[in-house]
Amino acid sequence: MSLSDSGVGVECGELEVRLIDEAPAGPVSLFGLDSQSSMLRFENADVYVVTGALVGEENLLVPGGVKARWLGLRLRFKVDESSVSGLESDAGEYVLLKSSVLGRVFDGSYNEEAVRDEVRTEVEVKLTEAYRGMGVRDSLLLIDGPIFPTPRVLTMVGNPYADLYEDFIRRRVNAVDGVMAVGVVKRISQSTYYSRCKGFSVDDDTLIKNETVRQFGDRRFFTAMIGPLEITINEHTKYAWYVASRVGKEVNVIRVEAINEGLAEEGAMRLTVYMGMDGVPIPVSIADRLSRRLNVSLTRLLASLSPLRLTYEGLEELNRVMREGE
């Protein structure tokens, strides 16, 4: 096993590059799940807006058909729990004011990204549980992003946020346990799991593109899967395959993850025939589009209705969200 500075172990075994011409037999319906987040900085508080979409035979949204706390409120000054108890009772159905894991109020001393990740976990887990509750047979859930995160903080003994991210992993694993669900990681230009297995100092995206083009470069269209990898942090393990698809001159690469080794392989094989022109599985692209548009609409609405003034950074973030939603 190769252990990186971040504490993430990678076991490679016998890697293979497999050309795929058709998906495995059998009827399987696909669902896509994605969330989008934005943050509005007001004079006295930061508001995190996280929206989500589940698309497939049945479509669900957050906020909408699934009950989840999709707003995070981080006060930009030091407060104690008693100061927000009244606000929490009034808005607790859809607003997170403190960590359900650490019991700390989201205030000026609380890590910004930890707030965003806790709200995102809440939204995505609730949508995953809704998918499980549908009881749809012969279906595969595609979750945009890793099946669970592996941030460096998980290996920092004594860091309170390590406990927080351990809980994020536990919640995500519990939500997908027993159902066919894979994570689809679209941006791997910063990933080095595969390159560490091969002994190269280059990112996975570049390496896999070079290897597949060298092997199948005589084809203008091809889809190949590369793997398997076993990725471990602390006591948590997930399995991964890469899928490379070429349309014309462009080669796109994604990573497919699951908590079950066989499911990771099957998921990668099935996705090879559902890739869009941009190399992203079509159900994931649809969920991305819906959650993004919903996020833009709600962010604009909250900015216009709030009695608080946006800071300069808040205005910049609002403009960025508007541009991305065009």
Side-chain angles (χ1 to χ4, degrees):
M1 177 180 288
S2 171
L3 195 66
S4 72
D5 292 337
S6 64
V8 179
V10 181
E11 185 72 45
C12 307
E14 295 187 9
L15 294 169
E16 62 174 299
V17 180
R18 186 189 309 170
L19 189 66
I20 303 297
D21 293 319
E22 60 182 19
V28 171
S29 60
L30 298 184
F31 284 74
L33 188 158
D34 188 28
S35 68
Q36 296 291 329
S37 67
S38 58
M39 180 178 66
L40 292 173
R41 290 190 184 275
F42 295 100
E43 290 178 326
N44 297 313
D46 298 329
V47 177
Y48 298 77
V49 184
V50 180
T51 53
L54 174 68
V55 300
E57 293 182 12
E58 183 177 344
N59 302 326
L60 294 173
L61 298 174
V62 171
V66 176
K67 184 178 179 181
R69 290 172 292 182
W70 56 277
L71 286 174
L73 179 62
R74 176 178 177 268
L75 302 175
R76 304 186 72 182
F77 47 86
K78 183 69 175 177
V79 296
D80 56 40
E81 185 174 347
S82 62
S83 302
V84 299
S85 58
L87 182 59
E88 186 177 29
S89 61
D90 292 336
E93 289 190 2
Y94 58 90
V95 179
L96 272 172
L97 294 155
K98 66 178 182 180
S99 172
S100 59
V101 181
L102 303 182
R104 287 177 51 190
V105 174
F106 296 147
D107 59 18
S109 67
Y110 203 95
N111 182 274
E112 294 183 8
E113 285 306 307
V115 179
R116 187 192 302 268
D117 288 339
E118 185 151 0
V119 183
R120 186 194 301 273
T121 299
E122 165 83 4
V123 169
E124 294 187 356
V125 166
K126 292 296 185 181
L127 282 170
T128 304
E129 291 173 347
Y131 165 78
R132 175 194 292 275
M134 292 178 185
V136 181
R137 299 183 59 185
D138 299 322
S139 64
L140 176 65
L141 175 63
L142 314 180
I143 301 173
D144 191 352
I147 201 70
F148 61 75
T150 57
R152 183 187 298 272
V153 71
L154 282 166
T155 62
M156 297 180 181
V157 178
N159 189 315
Y161 294 109
D163 295 332
L164 183 68
Y165 282 86
E166 282 280 350
D167 187 77
F168 292 167
I169 293 178
R170 179 190 60 78
R171 291 186 64 192
R172 289 179 180 275
V173 169
N174 288 343
V176 301
D177 189 26
V179 299
M180 292 183 62
V182 298
V184 179
V185 183
K186 298 179 294 187
R187 288 174 284 274
I188 62 169
S189 59
Q190 301 300 315
S191 170
T192 58
Y193 295 144
Y194 183 71
S195 62
R196 281 160 52 194
C197 292
K198 303 290 285 187
F200 292 104
S201 298
V202 65
D203 64 273
D204 290 348
D205 189 63
T206 299
L207 181 58
I208 290 174
K209 285 179 179 178
N210 288 341
E211 288 192 354
T212 53
V213 169
R214 186 169 62 250
Q215 292 195 43
F216 311 119
D218 57 333
R219 298 168 176 254
R220 289 187 58 82
F221 303 92
F222 71 76
T223 305
M225 52 187 289
I226 303 95
L229 280 70
E230 181 179 321
I231 303 167
T232 302
I233 187 164
N234 296 347
E235 301 299 319
H236 311 291
T237 299
K238 58 184 178 181
Y239 303 88
W241 285 76
Y242 292 87
V243 175
S245 60
R246 178 176 184 174
V247 179
K249 295 182 179 180
E250 186 67 27
V251 178
N252 295 289
V253 184
I254 61 172
R255 188 172 70 243
V256 181
E257 304 180 352
I259 61 173
N260 176 277
E261 185 174 8
L263 179 56
E265 181 176 6
E266 181 180 352
M269 291 184 67
R270 291 196 178 279
L271 292 192
T272 58
V273 297
Y274 291 103
M275 309 294 281
M277 295 292 288
D278 58 355
V280 179
I282 293 172
V284 172
S285 294
I286 297 173
D288 175 276
R289 192 176 307 119
L290 285 176
S291 60
R292 188 181 302 277
R293 289 181 178 177
L294 182 59
N295 193 275
V296 169
S297 299
L298 289 173
T299 301
R300 181 190 292 121
L301 179 64
L302 289 171
S304 64
L305 293 179
S306 174
L308 301 176
R309 293 176 55 187
L310 286 167
T311 64
Y312 178 77
E313 294 85 356
L315 288 170
E316 284 190 324
E317 173 70 3
L318 180 60
N319 288 332
R320 181 194 66 79
V321 172
M322 296 303 106
R323 288 195 303 271
E324 290 186 356
E326 294 177 352

